[in-house]
Amino acid sequence: MTGLTAELVADSRDPQTPALAPNGHLLCYVLAPASRSGDHLDTELWLVDTDGAVASRRATADTAAESRPRWSADSETLFFLSDRADRGTPQLHGLALAAGTMTTLTSWRAGVIDHLPLTDPNLVALLAEDEPTEQDARRARDRDDAIVVGEREPRARLRLLNLRTGRVTTPDVFGDRHVVELRQRPHGGPLAVLTWASADNDYGPRTGQLHLFDPATGTAENLGPVGTDARSLAWWPGEDGWHLGYLALSPPGLQAGTAVFDLAVDSRVLINRTAGLSMCPTSLCQTDAAPLVVFADGLNTTLGRLDPTDLTTLSHHAGRLDSLTTTPTGEEIAVVTGTRYQAPNVHIGPPTGPLRRITDTRPELGGIALGTQQPLAYRAADGLHLDGLLVLPVGRTAADGPFPLVTIVHGGPYDRHADRCQLFWYPSAQWLAAAGYAVLLPNPRGGQGHGHQFAAAVAGRVGQQEWTDILTGIDLLIAEGIADADRLGIAGWSHGGFMSAWAVGQTDRFRAALVGAGVSDWGMLAATGESGQFEAALGGSTGWSGIGPHPHDAVSPISFASRIRTPVLILHGAEDTNVPLGQAVYLHRALRHFDVEHEFVIYPREGHSIRERNHQLDVLRRTRAWFDRWLRP
């Protein structure tokens, strides 16, 4: 039995975006490394026979970023994106399985963002920005490239590739709107097209509209506005004609649980099909009949079918089900899923279960000892039912406690800790359990998996009840003799980083904290983060809400910096646009001002997630070293 190393984590390769061929005989998936060493992430396409008769095999031999596998309707051609010819500029490729030949199908200079093979075997719909003009090239060459906000902003547009001629055309539809997603009606016909007014993540998701586009005539029809952050389109037939479904935030707030919305295309009647459920839909998957729905259900996942008048539960699964794909009949599905002690792999089977694993992309973890993981169920101070996970140190039982305890808060906040293998490059339970720590993974209110009201509870009130929810879990483990009250740490990334920064401004109970890509000031985040108005919904106000103090000041960690006495490790990507680096600089300057022990680490070239191999290794090792320094006897 070998020990867990940082290299085993950073050098992992994970299956992503499986795509089942319509005939159900073949499946393609992307094999992606957890980290990269150079400027580009080299991914691979793999094929596997669903009957298991033939082992997985690579579909291509290129060194490239390969993504978005999609099948032709006859299952004979695999379409995918690859930047093999010009790194960083994806083009559409086609792999004819019978002949074993691969063809580059586009040379669009702006690159292709996404694609959808249509039922017409000669057409593929593309999403791509406009190609640069000669004037654009001259402006770039001469550095005469002032950016006027609102002018000439990049937009993804719908384009049609004729496979017979190789010609790409751009239908004159949707005006200057940014095209986000496409879905063709089963057996042919119009495309459902989701557009935004802008590609700006602060503005675009609040301006969604749904359209119908007929690829045969080139005409479009506007079906009107859709809910905020709409996505995951699906068609299905009903007695009253065709229906279109999508996921979107439950109105009216911008911090809320998602719901399935059902639009009757002919009558324009719109219904929330999941109102009142204590689960949260995460994806819709189209079939020839009723679509499948994946639900985050507490620590686990429920798979259902959206029948005409009801939601039918098909199966329950431990942990998460990601990247659901299905045959047109809906009789066979494939997902990425794992267990508490096995990394995610591709599994297939009927939607009613059981599912069987058909890939093994991380065999190197087979001999690694992991800490015992168990679900927790408890009540908040106000009686609300909560859940979470406890991971014990490797080789230890609860009776061996009390242990030093690190609490890891999830991001989002609309996310969750699911009952899956907790091993990642960012602060993760099994990485710390291998070093002798017990780890609490709480799911406080504001997160996913318990319905709309549970998620909406933190709107304008972050750091309030979700904080006491976390404390309740910590106190429970102390009372049970599992956690040592004198050796407590807290960590998190993104919203979890916010909660870690918030915690040390509220209490001296923690001996060490890690703030990864965390929020220090909600007003500044609303002003500069890429999802500003969504952040304002969490913080409760913006800087332009009049003369302060503002509601967001009362829930910003920076307002409580003078109280912090806990040593803090701050980790942040230099190019983070989600939570800009200024948030970390602000916290660092405050801690320096108040002479608080801390360490501030900036990762060059990194965004909100850390991608480069050496940086991931540094995060892993530095995380352990920090808690070892402060929590060890």
Side-chain angles (χ1 to χ4, degrees):
M1 193 77 69
T2 57
L4 188 62
T5 66
E7 287 80 6
L8 279 172
V9 180
D11 293 339
S12 66
R13 301 200 304 167
D14 302 305
Q16 299 176 352
T17 60
L20 265 173
N23 62 16
H25 296 156
L26 272 177
L27 179 141
C28 180
Y29 63 92
V30 176
L31 189 60
S35 64
R36 69 171 189 267
S37 297
D39 293 332
H40 303 284
L41 185 70
D42 297 328
T43 60
E44 302 168 359
L45 291 183
W46 284 71
L47 290 167
V48 58
D49 293 276
T50 57
D51 60 8
V54 180
S56 295
R57 58 201 183 275
R58 279 196 67 178
T60 69
D62 299 318
T63 298
E66 299 176 330
S67 65
R68 301 186 184 273
R70 310 269 196 273
W71 292 93
S72 60
D74 60 9
S75 301
E76 294 182 359
T77 303
L78 176 69
F79 296 96
F80 61 95
L81 300 184
S82 174
D83 64 355
R84 60 196 294 261
D86 181 11
R87 299 309 306 269
T89 306
Q91 301 294 346
L92 183 67
H93 294 68
L95 175 63
L97 295 185
T101 57
M102 185 178 69
T103 306
T104 303
L105 300 173
T106 62
S107 55
W108 194 259
R109 284 177 292 150
V112 177
I113 298 170
D114 203 354
H115 65 100
L116 179 67
L118 304 185
T119 52
D120 182 336
N122 296 310
L123 287 180
V124 178
L126 306 175
L127 292 186
E129 295 178 358
D130 293 337
E131 293 188 291
T133 64
E134 291 185 8
Q135 182 184 17
D136 293 331
R138 179 194 61 76
R139 282 164 51 88
R141 183 179 63 250
D142 296 345
R143 300 199 174 193
D144 181 20
D145 53 359
I147 298 173
V148 180
V149 176
E151 292 185 10
R152 301 169 57 85
E153 289 184 351
R155 298 282 198 278
R157 304 190 193 281
L158 171 64
R159 325 228 182 225
L160 295 175
L161 168 65
N162 188 310
L163 294 173
R164 287 180 301 181
T165 65
R167 184 172 174 232
V168 175
T169 58
T170 303
D172 186 17
V173 290
F174 315 133
D176 199 35
R177 295 183 66 81
H178 172 64
V179 181
V180 178
E181 188 178 338
L182 311 170
R183 186 74 63 224
Q184 188 171 30
R185 198 172 70 189
H187 308 297
L191 275 68
V193 182
L194 178 64
T195 69
W196 295 350
S198 165
D200 180 351
N201 282 330
D202 170 53
Y203 179 56
R206 298 180 281 129
T207 63
Q209 291 187 4
L210 195 55
H211 315 258
L212 298 182
F213 173 75
D214 187 337
T217 64
T219 58
E221 177 184 0
N222 192 340
L223 298 180
V226 293
T228 298
D229 203 24
R231 57 186 172 82
S232 201
L233 301 174
W235 289 87
W236 67 92
E239 293 183 358
D240 55 346
W242 285 98
H243 287 239
L244 261 173
Y246 59 87
L247 304 186
L249 291 182
S250 300
L254 298 182
Q255 168 60 32
T258 50
V260 175
F261 290 90
D262 172 354
L263 175 67
V265 175
D266 291 338
S267 66
R268 300 293 199 272
V269 173
L270 182 68
I271 301 173
N272 180 344
R273 293 290 299 275
T274 54
L277 286 185
S278 60
M279 306 183 293
C280 295
T282 60
S283 68
L284 277 173
C285 190
Q286 179 172 300
T287 73
D288 287 344
L292 303 177
V293 192
V294 179
F295 289 94
D297 187 0
L299 296 167
N300 301 305
T301 298
T302 292
L303 181 61
R305 185 177 62 234
L306 199 66
D307 289 321
T309 60
D310 200 4
L311 175 68
T312 302
T313 297
L314 300 176
S315 53
H316 300 284
H317 305 267
R320 292 175 57 126
L321 295 186
D322 292 314
S323 302
L324 176 68
T325 177
T326 180
T327 55
T329 63
E331 295 176 351
E332 188 88 342
I333 66 170
V335 295
V336 176
T337 188
T339 70
R340 292 177 185 174
Y341 307 112
Q342 291 181 337
N345 269 289
V346 180
H347 291 64
I348 67 168
T352 52
L355 303 179
R356 59 184 176 88
R357 190 180 70 180
I358 60 170
T359 65
D360 184 12
T361 62
R362 297 180 70 178
E364 68 278 7
L365 294 180
I368 301 297
L370 298 177
T372 299
Q373 179 171 310
Q374 61 192 61
L376 297 176
Y378 53 100
R379 287 181 180 269
D382 61 356
L384 182 68
H385 288 278
L386 299 172
D387 60 38
L389 297 167
L390 169 66
V391 178
L392 294 171
V394 173
R396 311 295 291 275
T397 69
D400 298 322
F403 306 105
L405 176 77
V406 178
T407 298
I408 300 178
V409 187
H410 65 66
Y414 193 58
D415 201 347
R416 61 175 175 149
H417 289 302
D419 196 3
R420 58 172 173 161
C421 184
Q422 297 290 331
L423 183 59
F424 317 101
W425 62 263
Y426 49 87
S428 61
Q430 291 293 354
W431 177 244
L432 290 171
Y437 295 95
V439 182
L440 170 64
L441 304 171
N443 284 325
R445 68 194 79 196
Q448 186 183 62
H450 295 281
H452 163 65
Q453 292 300 331
F454 186 90
V458 301
R461 300 188 296 276
V462 286
Q464 305 302 303
Q465 287 176 303
E466 62 178 322
W467 166 233
T468 58
D469 290 349
I470 293 168
L471 279 180
T472 299
I474 295 171
D475 290 338
L476 173 67
L477 296 182
I478 293 172
E480 292 182 349
I482 294 171
D484 184 341
D486 295 323
R487 292 189 291 164
L488 300 177
I490 190 165
W493 203 269
S494 192
H495 190 82
F498 153 71
M499 285 305 308
S500 187
W502 176 259
V504 295
Q506 307 302 309
T507 180
D508 293 337
R509 295 180 66 182
F510 298 102
R511 290 183 58 183
L514 187 157
V515 176
V519 180
S520 297
D521 185 278
W522 288 102
M524 188 166 72
L525 187 61
T528 61
E530 63 185 35
S531 303
Q533 288 303 298
F534 295 88
E535 311 295 1
L538 289 167
S541 61
T542 63
W544 56 80
S545 300
I547 298 174
H550 302 294
H552 68 254
D553 293 324
V555 293
S556 292
I558 203 67
S559 300
F560 302 88
S562 64
R563 300 181 183 178
I564 298 176
R565 298 294 180 268
T566 302
V568 180
L569 172 61
I570 307 170
L571 307 178
H572 217 105
E575 307 300 325
D576 192 343
T577 56
N578 188 327
V579 179
L581 178 62
Q583 295 283 330
V585 173
Y586 201 175
L587 180 60
H588 156 64
R589 290 182 177 180
L591 296 180
R592 183 174 60 188
H593 176 78
F594 292 111
D595 198 26
V596 178
E597 181 89 34
H598 72 287
E599 189 174 287
F600 180 24
V601 183
I602 301 171
Y603 296 102
R605 301 173 300 280
E606 300 285 13
H608 197 54
S609 295
I610 305 301
R611 296 303 183 196
E612 293 188 21
R613 181 177 186 270
N614 285 336
H615 291 164
Q616 287 190 2
L617 293 173
D618 185 82
V619 170
L620 289 161
R621 292 168 178 154
R622 196 177 295 273
T623 295
R624 268 199 198 169
W626 185 254
F627 288 116
D628 284 350
R629 177 181 175 186
W630 300 104
L631 300 189
R632 288 300 183 187

